[in-house]
């Protein structure tokens, strides 16, 4: 009976543990979306190459990123921008070549995370993720047209009973969408696309 109570408490503790993430909103909102222009008679085609890198406290880590989902968000926003005739990840001849690199720079205290895990999140822990999207635009001859870097910070709290805050959680995909739209807005402002 005693082991059953311990198991029940363990299961209850794990199921009530949660985390909530929120963006710092470092970037202003994109004013006009989509970015299509009435003056743009012909739209360029674009090839986009996407890479992602995850670091924890400055050291490169394997995993920790959902590269295919993040790439889909980026490509969808390039398509929805209204600035391109075609956007592809297939290496075909295009008018604009975009090399997008997303760095997930995570910082946190490993000791605090271990302590929080051992206590089943009774003792909370926190981590910050700085998402940095760097895009390099090249023309069909390989000449660099410009480089844009935008970043947004997301803080994640992990604590017992934060399971009730899950509906208010900020998704990484939402932050990547905002980064992509802000990057494209800047590319239009700089006349790169």
């Amino acid at each position: 009976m005693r082991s059953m109570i311990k198991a029940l408490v363990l299961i209850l503790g794990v199921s009530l543990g949660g985390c909530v993430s929120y963006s710092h909103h470092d970037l202003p909102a994109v004013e006009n979306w989509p970015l299509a222009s009435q003056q743009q008679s012909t739209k360029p085609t674009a090839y986009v190459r996407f890479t992602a890198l995850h670091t924890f406290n400055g050291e490169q880590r394997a995993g920790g990123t959902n590269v295919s989902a993040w790439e889909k968000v980026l490509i969808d926003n390039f398509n929805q921008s209204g600035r391109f005739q075609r956007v592809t990840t297939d290496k075909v001849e295009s008018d604009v070549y975009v090399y997008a690199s997303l760095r997930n720079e995570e910082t946190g205290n490993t000791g605090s995370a271990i302590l929080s895990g051992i206590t089943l999140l009774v003792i909370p822990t926190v981590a910050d993720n700085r998402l940095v999207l760097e895009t390099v635009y090249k023309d069909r001859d390989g000449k660099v047209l410009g480089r844009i870097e935008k970043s947004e910070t997301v803080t994640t709290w992990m604590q017992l009973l934060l399971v009730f805050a899950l509906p208010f959680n900020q998704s990484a995909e939402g932050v990547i969408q905002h980064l992509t739209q802000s990057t494209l807005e800047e590319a239009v402002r700089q006349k790169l696309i």
Side-chain angles (χ1 to χ4, degrees), residues 35-43 83 188 191:
L35 302 168
S37 170
Q38 303 297 340
Q39 303 163 348
Q40 190 180 22
S41 58
T42 59
K43 296 179 182 180
R83 298 297 292 193
V188 169
K191 297 183 174 140

Side-chain angles (χ1 to χ4, degrees), residues 28-148:
V30 174
E31 297 282 323
N32 300 314
W33 187 262
L35 302 168
S37 170
Q38 303 297 340
Q39 303 163 348
Q40 190 180 22
S41 58
T42 59
K43 296 179 182 180
T45 58
Y47 160 74
V48 179
R49 189 180 88 192
F50 179 77
T51 57
L53 174 70
H54 178 229
T55 61
F56 181 75
N57 290 338
E59 295 180 21
Q60 187 172 344
R61 299 287 171 131
T65 58
N66 191 349
V67 177
S68 59
W70 292 1
E71 180 180 49
K72 182 180 179 337
V73 171
L74 184 111
I75 298 301
D76 287 349
N77 278 277
F78 267 79
N79 278 315
Q80 295 166 7
S81 71
R83 298 297 292 193
F84 302 99
Q85 176 183 338
R86 172 187 44 84
V87 177
T88 184
T89 57
D90 300 327
K91 187 124 187 192
V92 295
E93 190 171 318
S94 300
D95 300 316
V96 179
Y97 294 84
V98 182
Y99 298 90
S101 173
L102 182 68
R103 295 188 313 269
N104 178 3
E105 300 170 350
E106 184 177 357
T107 55
N109 186 317
T110 306
S112 173
I114 291 171
L115 183 62
S116 185
I118 289 172
T119 63
L120 299 176
L121 300 178
V122 170
I123 297 175
T125 189
V126 66
D128 283 325
N129 290 71
R130 183 171 176 257
L131 297 171
V132 181
L133 179 62
E134 180 182 14
T135 51
V136 177
Y137 296 83
K138 295 183 179 183
D139 65 12
R140 63 176 50 239
D141 298 323
K143 179 183 169 221
V144 175
L145 302 171
R147 179 183 315 263
I148 297 171

Side-chain angles (χ1 to χ4, degrees), residues 1-15 120:
M1 181 69 173
R2 194 172 243 172
S3 63
M4 190 175 189
I5 291 173
K6 286 181 184 177
L8 185 62
V9 168
L10 180 65
I11 291 170
L12 186 63
V14 170
S15 65
L120 299 176

